[in-house]
Amino acid sequence: MKLDGYASRFIKNTNICLVGKLFRILHYKLGILILIISFVGCDLIEYSPFQVDDSVAGKNRNGKAINKIITKSSDTFKPFKIAIIADSHTYYDDLCDQVNTINKLKDIDFVIHMGDFTDNGIYKEFVWFTEIIDELKLPILVMIGNHEYLGNGEVMYEKVFGERNFTVIYNDCRFVFWDDVVWERNGKDPDFEWLQENIEEGEDYSYQFVFAHIQPWDRQFSAGNAFFYDYLLKTNGVDLSVHGHAHVFLYEEYYEGIPYLIIDSSPAREITVLEINQDSFEVENIAL
Amino acid sequence: MFKKNLICFVVIFLTFSVFADDVDSFTSVKKRIEDEVLPDDGLIEIEDNPLTVNEALALMIPHYYKVQYAGLIGFMSIGVGYTVKNIYEPVFMLGYLDPYFGNSDVTVTSFAWKNNFVLFGSISPDYLKFYAGTSVLWCYTNGTFGKLPPHYPDDYYFQNRVHLAPHMGLEYKKIFSSGFAKAGGIFMEIGTFDNYIKSGFTNDYVKFYDIWNLAFGLTVYIK
């Protein structure tokens, strides 16, 4: 009965008159509300910067891109070009310029991002990045980088882009995408077993390329892991190892035998184009 | 563009706060709050006499309770708040987000120390206040750390657990003549986040309106 008393008084004190009074007061302050609302776009409700939500950024983007890529693939080798970018982090203006430049390039078949497209792996960084790459006219495959492991970026990556390790076969060339982040996975070794299984299958293709965010001579790799990585590539017919992470451009046989290519970050304002021909492949940097 | 928008917003905001009609000056607001709204327990004067244990404990009794939806501190959050000299309102909120409570694949537990400063308000017959401030957020989830784990080199990453989240809000407060609560309020806040502001300042791509989010909530002022 006491509760009923409280409830009736509460209802009495907060009935429709409250709404009327609120409106009477607010109409003087309508300017404030208009001011606030005018500065606020859509996507207003955000539970946490570390939330995982694929409703805006999209789902399984790499899977959808692979479907588009393989529809253009032929069973036998045909020369083709791919554009590669890396480490865009929150350099969104530079990334926009890279996207615009790629859209103007001719004869590019698809695009690869080598990872580190966020700074902190937070939700909004995924949203902004996917908004920008949606402007690309070509399919793009996006790798996971060490920065995507911060916060809940790993879970968000798997929701938005898909598996962290995957392969694509295009024009009789095998592309192996391998997650080799160590420190951000609490020192856990990369999945060498998966890498070995997948590059063993690639020896019969015209070319086999391995893409991994971190170069094996980085501090994240132990000397043993670096040696083993290079050994696996040499003994399984890999033609090129491509990386990001270092924020420099490098193209050389670091360990002698296999050429290593490191893609520079977005602030370098260039795009690396890999042209794959019957007898050889060439690397070219195109300035924005 | 972002910087221009931000400067315009601050100028308009300050101009409005100074020249808005039907808005009492802070002094008169304070006086009227003390006379009409908070006759008994607005302030606890601390004089030369040392506080007794009971008096010290009384200082810790919250002045009001809050429930908030969204606003970067979880799907829902609850908290307590205080009013200090009628201008500073520290609020301590605990928020939660998980697959069943906010439809997120991950669990995020957040603690927010909201520092609200009342900018202006009017009293009669009820109370509408406009406040702004900055929250300090502690976010506990996968991959956040206050101190860099030992396997990293020094300064490899900056800590990512504690963040600043500026906000401003509008609260309508209804005084109850009777009942278990002295007053109730509904509020709406717009807020942003330190990383978003940084991205806005360093990129034209991030527009001024991209960085904001909304929160709604209820306040119960206890006697």
Side-chain angles (χ1 to χ4, degrees):
Chain A
M1 293 304 293
K2 193 177 180 184
L3 186 65
D4 289 342
Y6 283 141
S8 63
R9 274 180 285 179
F10 182 77
I11 291 167
K12 184 182 173 185
N13 286 322
T14 57
N15 62 12
I16 193 69
C17 294
L18 186 148
V19 178
K21 286 176 183 174
L22 177 65
F23 178 78
R24 186 163 57 81
I25 293 170
L26 280 185
H27 85 276
Y28 292 109
K29 310 292 188 300
L30 204 57
I32 302 174
L33 294 176
I34 292 170
L35 188 67
I36 292 168
I37 292 166
S38 67
F39 281 94
V40 180
C42 52
D43 195 18
L44 301 171
I45 300 300
E46 196 175 344
Y47 297 144
S48 169
F50 297 99
Q51 71 187 34
V52 170
D53 180 0
D54 57 11
S55 59
V56 178
K59 297 175 188 173
N60 191 26
R61 283 173 164 267
N62 282 345
K64 291 171 185 170
I66 290 169
N67 287 338
K68 287 182 185 172
I69 289 167
I70 60 177
T71 54
K72 294 194 293 181
S73 174
S74 71
D75 293 336
T76 55
F77 181 82
K78 278 171 56 179
F80 63 98
K81 292 180 185 176
I82 58 174
I84 314 174
I85 54 178
D87 296 271
S88 49
H89 291 283
T90 52
Y91 305 114
Y92 298 119
D93 291 348
D94 295 322
L95 179 62
C96 285
D97 291 341
Q98 286 179 311
V99 165
N100 292 334
T101 303
I102 291 170
N103 283 338
K104 290 174 189 167
L105 292 177
K106 293 178 180 175
D107 304 328
I108 302 291
D109 286 31
F110 59 93
V111 184
I112 293 170
H113 191 295
M114 295 301 304
D116 272 7
F117 53 88
T118 69
D119 270 351
N120 293 285
I122 57 180
Y123 166 76
K124 208 86 168 184
E125 293 174 341
F126 277 80
V127 170
W128 287 332
F129 174 72
T130 51
E131 279 177 1
I132 293 171
I133 61 171
D134 278 345
E135 298 301 315
L136 271 172
K137 294 174 183 171
L138 298 167
I140 179 170
L141 300 170
V142 179
M143 295 196 68
I144 192 168
N146 54 305
H147 279 257
E148 279 73 70
Y149 273 95
L150 299 177
N152 289 310
E154 180 190 1
V155 184
M156 188 72 178
Y157 175 87
E158 288 180 340
K159 292 275 279 188
V160 174
F161 292 101
E163 295 288 324
R164 291 176 287 116
N165 299 324
F166 56 99
T167 61
V168 179
I169 296 163
Y170 185 75
N171 289 0
D172 198 43
C173 295
R174 187 172 174 88
F175 295 80
V176 178
F177 297 87
W178 182 57
D179 172 18
D180 66 344
V181 174
V182 179
W183 284 344
E184 288 74 7
R185 297 167 68 236
N186 294 320
K188 193 177 173 187
D189 278 341
D191 192 349
F192 280 104
E193 193 176 332
W194 184 94
L195 177 67
Q196 186 167 9
E197 283 174 9
N198 280 275
I199 59 177
E200 278 173 354
E201 297 173 11
E203 290 194 67
D204 296 333
Y205 291 92
S206 298
Y207 287 100
Q208 179 163 228
F209 305 104
V210 173
F211 294 77
H213 177 68
I214 298 173
Q215 72 281 11
W217 57 90
D218 185 80
R219 292 178 293 175
Q220 290 221 10
F221 267 63
S222 64
N225 280 349
F227 173 82
F228 187 48
Y229 176 81
D230 189 59
Y231 169 80
L232 283 178
L233 267 54
K234 281 176 182 164
T235 53
N236 287 286
V238 173
D239 297 284
L240 178 68
S241 181
V242 186
H243 307 274
H245 188 64
H247 292 232
V248 294
F249 175 79
L250 182 141
Y251 181 42
E252 66 178 38
E253 291 184 12
Y254 194 84
Y255 296 118
E256 295 183 1
I258 304 275
Y260 282 83
L261 171 63
I262 297 184
I263 311 298
D264 208 341
S265 58
S266 292
R269 298 186 61 76
E270 63 187 22
I271 293 153
T272 301
V273 173
L274 181 62
E275 182 177 354
I276 300 143
N277 297 308
Q278 183 72 55
D279 301 326
S280 64
F281 52 84
E282 292 177 10
V283 173
E284 181 189 5
N285 279 337
I286 296 174
L288 303 185
Chain B
M1 186 59 79
F2 180 88
K3 292 172 194 169
K4 284 181 185 174
N5 278 336
L6 186 63
I7 292 166
C8 288
F9 185 74
V10 171
V11 168
I12 292 169
F13 180 81
L14 293 176
T15 307
F16 193 90
S17 67
V18 172
F19 295 107
D21 61 354
D22 195 40
V23 172
D24 300 272
S25 68
F26 173 71
T27 309
S28 66
V29 169
K30 182 183 175 186
K31 187 173 184 306
R32 292 170 68 178
I33 289 172
E34 289 169 352
D35 293 347
E36 301 175 22
V37 183
L38 300 170
D40 300 320
D41 55 355
L43 288 175
I44 298 174
E45 296 289 340
I46 302 173
E47 297 177 352
D48 294 338
N49 298 331
L51 291 173
T52 65
V53 173
N54 285 342
E55 286 170 339
L57 288 174
L59 282 173
M60 298 173 68
I61 296 172
H63 298 171
Y64 46 86
Y65 296 90
K66 279 182 181 283
V67 178
Q68 181 177 311
Y69 167 71
L72 300 180
I73 48 177
F75 174 68
M76 293 292 289
S77 50
I78 55 173
V80 298
Y82 300 85
T83 300
V84 180
K85 294 189 182 296
N86 296 321
I87 187 168
Y88 174 52
E89 296 184 340
V91 181
F92 303 96
M93 307 284 290
L94 183 65
Y96 191 70
L97 172 69
D98 80 357
Y100 308 103
F101 205 63
N103 196 29
S104 174
D105 282 25
V106 293
T107 299
V108 184
T109 306
S110 305
F111 176 75
W113 171 20
K114 300 176 78 167
N115 296 285
N116 297 341
F117 293 90
V118 179
L119 298 176
F120 56 84
S122 61
I123 290 182
S124 73
D126 297 316
Y127 181 47
L128 186 69
K129 70 179 174 187
F130 196 11
Y131 59 91
T134 297
S135 299
V136 184
L137 291 184
W138 283 260
C139 303
Y140 294 87
T141 186
N142 308 311
T144 61
F145 45 83
K147 186 183 175 188
L148 202 57
H151 60 272
Y152 288 104
D154 291 343
D155 304 324
Y156 193 73
Y157 290 122
F158 187 61
Q159 68 81 25
N160 65 348
R161 177 165 290 159
V162 185
H163 292 270
L164 296 176
H167 63 269
M168 63 186 78
L170 194 63
E171 184 180 76
Y172 173 71
K173 181 176 169 185
K174 167 76 178 174
I175 310 297
F176 298 151
S177 55
S178 59
F180 64 92
K182 183 168 63 183
I186 56 173
F187 64 89
M188 183 192 82
E189 289 179 5
I190 59 168
T192 183
F193 192 61
D194 49 12
N195 287 99
Y196 304 166
I197 296 171
K198 180 193 160 216
S199 291
F201 267 104
T202 52
N203 290 280
D204 289 338
Y205 174 77
V206 177
K207 301 293 185 291
F208 184 68
Y209 53 77
D210 285 334
I211 64 171
W212 299 97
N213 65 83
L214 278 180
F216 303 94
L218 299 172
T219 309
V220 176
Y221 294 84
I222 54 176
K223 284 193 172 179

